[in-house]
Amino acid sequence: MPEVPDVRFLTVAEVAELMRVSKMTVYRLVHAGDLPAVRFGRSYRVPESAVADALQRPIADVG
């Protein structure tokens, strides 16, 4: 039997709290492909490592 990697998944609400954005912003990031996520039924789960990577990326200039 293959080993399952030790990955922690976060809910959209948990990601929003960590990133200090709204849940809708997290959904937009997931749907745009900017934040990888796995869909379980009707909800999404985001790997904790993907959130850490997203927070380390430089923010693009707006305007």
Side-chain angles (χ1 to χ4, degrees):
M1 178 179 248
E3 288 191 33
V4 178
D6 189 25
V7 178
R8 182 165 183 248
F9 288 95
L10 303 173
T11 65
V12 169
E14 291 170 330
V15 174
E17 186 176 329
L18 283 172
M19 296 180 82
R20 294 183 173 251
V21 297
S22 71
K23 290 191 295 184
M24 183 54 69
T25 299
V26 176
Y27 282 116
R28 286 185 188 122
L29 291 169
V30 168
H31 288 290
D34 295 330
L35 190 62
V38 177
R39 190 166 182 176
F40 289 104
R42 294 179 60 196
S43 63
Y44 287 92
R45 297 292 188 269
V46 180
E48 188 175 39
S49 59
V51 176
D53 291 344
L55 291 173
Q56 295 298 323
R57 277 187 256 148
I59 298 172
D61 291 333
V62 177

